[in-house]
Amino acid sequence: MTFAIPFDNSYARLPEAFYTRQDPQPVAAPHLLAFNEDLARLMGITPGEVTEMAQVFSGNDIPDGSLPLSQLYSGHQFGNYNPQLGDGRAVLLGETIGTDGLRRDIQLKGSGRTPYSRGGDGRAWLGPVLREYVVSEAMHALGIPTTRALAAVETGEQVFRETALPGAVLTRVASSHLRVGTFQVFAARGQTENLKQLTRYAIERHYPQADGPMGLLRAVSEAQARLIAQWMSVGFIHGVMNTDNCSIAGETIDYGPCAFMDAYHPSTVYSSIDRMGRYAYSNQADIAVWNMAQFATALIQQMDSRDAGVEEATEIVHAMPGLLQSEWLTRFRAKLGFQQQEDGDQAMIADLLTRMAENQADFTNTFRALGSPAARDQFLDPQAFDAWQDGWTDRAAWEEDTAATLSASNPSVIPRNHRIEQMIGTAVAGEHALFHRLNAVLSAPFADHPDDADLTRPPSESEVVQATFCGT
Ligand code: AMP
Ligand code: MG
């Protein structure tokens, strides 16, 4: 068997205004750290020799059928429009159509400078590469739409941030890398034909049943509403919900200063660059609506009747908070073990979350322990939980199979931030056991893991990560 990737590159067939042809920059001594065999098989890729794959996933060899390019986009960053972004440290190698019939992008991230680089070196260091590898694959195992990780390669070169750090390249797989910002760049420049072509492309690729720009807006809004409710149901904080990080496919994309919460608090922020808390845990729903309003504004630029467009877009964007609320309720009902709907459910969930916040209860472990004596131990004042539990026990009597719903809706293990930091620390020292152990355990998040109980524990005081930095 020889290493082969069956490319079928639809993005490269779009006009040159959409991208710049750009080869990855070679690296000194590539070493393959991880290769995701299951994902490769799904994508129709035939694995090869480790050394051969290291050459391809570092960008040293361009495989047959690949036509590397960097994509153009713009976007709102922390609310401010930046007219020129684009892949400044990434190249799209191309796309494959998998054994499941799905088209997926293969992108090298950390592959060197491109015409869109903004001052930086176009490189990535090992930390963010391994973080994205572990967290995106964990997200997938949790059943949440996400980009995935096909490979991680150490480059054998150093990159310079505050200090010299080992360089690395991540091979990222996505349903596409189309973002709200991909539409914004053409809308802002008044390039209506490009905007129309991009809209047709996105519909054909992701939502073939959608009718025109407003059909696309509706489909993406629904996908984003589902996604953000899923994030909230596992305590995930993305950290940089800029419009250039908002995927048209509705996938989680761009794992920078992201983290899963330990103790529950709605205003939790991890990112060192999010000083105002714009992207705090409980703001994520409002931000998703704001991002869809920016998407609507861009899409409308191509419509002959802008007034009609504004009216329909307004209706779609205004429907989104209701959609988010209902997706949220569905998820959190299941987290309480409920399949039926009762009027008091929302109040019961809100009451539990308030008590959790007041008592620094661990988000993951509290939900996982519902129905067992361990739940009350999560609370500084266990009686705060007891008072809530009486109502829950009465309500649960209406249900069948509460235990099965609970364990299918509440993971036992998530990629805790302090473990990710420990993993990065050991990996920089050349020790990759924790990286592989995290990948293995996190691939089955709804199972019990008695032998890996250390990975289910919240951080001790000394283990708490103070700030999470963006992935540059
Ligand atoms: P991101 O943080 O990946 O969402 O990137 C935001 C913008 O900064 C994009 O235009 C990136 O291409 C650019 N960028 C981030 N890191 C680097 C880097 N190391 N070198 C060059 N450009 C970068
Ligand atoms: Mg980005």
Side-chain angles (χ1 to χ4, degrees), residues 23-25 27 58 70 87-91 108-125 129 155 157 159-161 167-170 471-472:
D23 286 345
Q25 289 172 355
V27 304
S58 63
S70 290
D87 294 329
R89 52 170 163 172
V91 294
L108 301 184
K109 190 173 171 184
S111 54
R113 286 186 61 83
T114 80
Y116 308 114
S117 295
R118 299 184 308 156
D121 55 5
R123 292 296 182 189
W125 71 276
V129 166
T155 61
E157 295 177 356
V159 297
F160 296 89
R161 299 294 180 259
V169 176
L170 178 77
T472 44

Side-chain angles (χ1 to χ4, degrees), residues 16-28:
E16 298 234 355
F18 286 57
Y19 55 82
T20 304
R21 288 272 290 108
Q22 172 69 53
D23 286 345
Q25 289 172 355
V27 304

Side-chain angles (χ1 to χ4, degrees), residues 139-308:
M139 204 67 140
H140 172 73
L142 286 162
I144 301 179
T146 177
T147 64
R148 298 195 58 190
L150 181 63
V153 171
E154 231 176 319
T155 61
E157 295 177 356
Q158 291 186 325
V159 297
F160 296 89
R161 299 294 180 259
E162 251 113 68
T163 65
L165 293 159
V169 176
L170 178 77
T171 305
R172 176 162 76 181
V173 168
S175 289
S176 82
H177 285 83
L178 298 178
R179 314 139 189 270
V180 168
T182 321
F183 291 76
Q184 287 181 291
V185 71
F186 294 135
R189 292 176 179 183
Q191 296 176 350
T192 311
E193 283 313 310
N194 289 338
L195 183 60
K196 284 181 177 170
Q197 191 164 0
L198 179 64
T199 303
R200 285 194 299 273
Y201 177 82
I203 290 174
E204 195 185 332
R205 186 159 175 182
H206 295 299
Y207 306 102
Q209 72 294 349
D211 187 11
M214 291 302 106
L216 180 63
L217 175 64
R218 199 179 292 277
V220 176
S221 299
E222 288 169 4
Q224 284 288 328
R226 280 193 297 274
L227 178 67
I228 277 49
Q230 283 187 279
W231 287 357
M232 296 189 75
S233 77
V234 294
F236 180 72
I237 301 163
H238 181 283
V240 213
M241 289 177 69
N242 294 336
T243 58
D244 56 302
N245 292 337
C246 180
S247 153
I248 299 306
E251 291 177 340
T252 314
I253 188 169
D254 248 333
Y255 291 83
C258 62
F260 286 72
M261 269 195 291
D262 297 299
Y264 173 72
H265 200 284
S267 57
T268 307
V269 179
Y270 288 98
S271 168
S272 59
I273 54 174
D274 190 4
R275 297 219 162 77
M276 307 291 283
R278 178 180 169 91
Y279 300 135
Y281 173 78
S282 62
N283 272 0
Q284 298 185 114
D286 286 349
I287 291 293
V289 178
W290 193 89
N291 285 348
M292 287 303 102
Q294 307 315 312
F295 188 36
T297 304
L299 285 168
I300 286 168
Q301 306 303 313
Q302 66 188 289
M303 296 178 74
D304 296 328
S305 166
R306 301 228 173 143
D307 289 347

Side-chain angles (χ1 to χ4, degrees), residues 329-412:
L329 193 50
T330 302
R331 296 281 160 192
F332 276 80
R333 248 194 204 114
K335 290 181 75 66
L336 293 195
F338 304 160
Q339 291 170 296
Q340 321 273 348
Q341 304 180 11
E342 290 284 333
D343 282 346
D345 290 348
Q346 187 169 331
M348 183 178 288
I349 299 162
D351 185 23
L352 175 62
L353 290 172
T354 302
R355 290 165 193 265
M356 285 169 65
E358 286 165 359
N359 286 277
Q360 296 168 30
D362 184 82
F363 184 83
T364 304
N365 292 352
T366 300
F367 282 103
R368 182 71 180 184
L370 284 182
S372 90
R376 71 192 302 276
D377 300 338
Q378 305 295 322
F379 289 69
L380 286 179
D381 171 14
Q383 288 177 356
F385 177 76
D386 298 340
W388 176 86
Q389 183 172 237
D390 289 342
W392 177 74
T393 308
D394 291 347
R395 168 70 178 81
W398 289 78
E399 298 280 340
E400 278 170 45
D401 270 343
T402 315
T405 309
L406 282 172
S407 60
S409 313
N410 296 311
S412 71

